[in-house]
Amino acid sequence: MIRIVSAKFISSSQAIGDAPDFGMSEVAFLGRSNVGKSSLINALTNFQGLAKSSSTPGKTQLINFFEVIFDNGESKIPVIFVDLPGFGYAKVSKTMQNAWQRNLDEFLRKRINIKTFVHLIDSRHASLQKDENLGIYLSEFVRPDQKILNLYTKADKLNQSERSKVLKVDSKALLVSSSKRTGVDKAVETIYNSIFGL
Ligand SMILES: Nc1nc2c(ncn2[C@@H]2O[C@H](COP(=O)(O)OP(=O)(O)OP(=O)(O)O)[C@@H](O)[C@H]2O)c(=O)[nH]1
Ligand SMILES: [Mg+2]
């Protein structure tokens, strides 16, 4: 079994220009504002409060780096998790919003160390145009050594028929709940496998 045995905050950056090279593979968590990116990082690492989460959209405003240690039973492997601001957060001034999106765009396109893009999608709204656009956007620059992984968040809010609806949209959908911790172990393993090309 693949486990995450420790996690710590390293630093924050405003843009790729001031983001150091940590010399480790990186996993970037992205998706709409409020979809549950920060909460998922806390659930995956089993570390409440590691990444700041909030019911108010727009909580994460910087590029935050965390060092996470995976244990595959034989060795311990450090990896960087990157918590990002949400896409399409509208409640700041247009100028601010454009600056964030430009920084985010440049980071995603140019950051060499990213091995996996984890695209979080709200499982209650599994086929929004915005998420489809984000998927298309990523596929335009994803490199052969990178993976895109879709995770469906807030699965605790779904009933059985709503779950089937998600699985109809994406038959391999990985449903996770950060609050109930369902699907979290599976997500840890899937992320690990994606980083190491397994
Ligand atoms: N019920 C439920 N609520 C969740 C879950 N994950 C996150 N939330 C809630 O959703 C809200 C947003 O969570 P965040 O983790 O801050 O979302 P984010 O994507 O990091 O948001 P930004 O930083 O603003 O982009 C918070 O109120 C969380 O408590 C979940 O699995 N189940
Ligand atoms: Mg956040």
Side-chain angles (χ1 to χ4, degrees):
M1 187 182 156
I2 310 292
R3 294 182 308 144
I4 289 174
V5 289
S6 73
K8 66 174 188 222
F9 171 76
I10 309 184
S11 66
S12 298
S13 297
Q14 199 120 43
I16 190 164
D18 61 76
D21 179 355
F22 301 108
M24 291 177 245
S25 296
E26 295 181 356
V27 180
F29 292 82
L30 66 162
R32 291 188 304 119
S33 196
N34 211 43
V35 71
K37 298 176 291 297
S38 302
S39 303
L40 181 68
I41 289 178
N42 294 339
L44 293 169
T45 57
N46 207 0
F47 192 150
Q48 277 324 303
L50 178 67
K52 301 279 174 290
S53 69
S54 164
S55 56
T56 312
K59 178 65 183 175
T60 308
Q61 303 195 356
L62 292 167
I63 301 166
N64 297 305
F65 298 97
F66 302 91
E67 185 183 323
V68 167
I69 313 283
F70 280 93
D71 186 341
N72 62 15
E74 285 177 354
S75 50
K76 294 189 166 60
I77 306 162
V79 164
I80 302 289
F81 278 8
V82 189
D83 190 17
L84 294 164
F87 270 84
Y89 173 62
K91 287 195 181 123
V92 291
S93 74
K94 261 278 176 275
T95 322
M96 271 280 281
Q97 200 187 338
N98 291 342
W100 284 3
Q101 301 296 308
R102 218 173 27 249
N103 286 340
L104 191 51
D105 172 64
E106 197 183 11
F107 183 83
L108 294 171
R109 287 175 188 274
K110 297 188 182 161
R111 183 76 172 171
I112 305 282
N113 293 344
I114 296 177
K115 281 288 180 321
T116 300
F117 296 102
V118 181
H119 176 184
L120 305 196
I121 297 163
D122 191 321
S123 60
R124 295 166 299 172
H125 315 283
S127 31
L128 291 183
Q129 191 63 48
K130 275 183 182 168
D131 282 309
E132 193 180 321
N133 292 346
L134 185 50
I136 294 167
Y137 159 79
L138 284 175
S139 68
E140 280 167 359
F141 59 81
V142 65
R143 306 185 310 249
D145 67 315
Q146 292 176 320
K147 288 244 171 69
I148 301 170
L149 224 140
N150 291 341
L151 286 190
Y152 294 82
T153 63
K154 309 193 185 185
D156 54 283
K157 297 198 174 188
L158 300 187
N159 60 33
Q160 198 50 50
S161 86
E162 290 167 323
R163 289 178 80 89
S164 333
K165 229 167 86 188
V166 177
L167 290 163
K168 220 174 246 171
V169 175
D170 179 350
S171 61
K172 285 178 294 187
L174 212 57
L175 289 148
V176 291
S177 164
S178 297
S179 48
K180 295 268 155 50
R181 295 196 55 82
T182 48
V184 169
D185 292 343
K186 178 82 184 154
V188 167
E189 188 178 333
T190 308
I191 290 169
Y192 175 90
N193 289 342
S194 76
I195 305 166
F196 300 104
L198 302 172

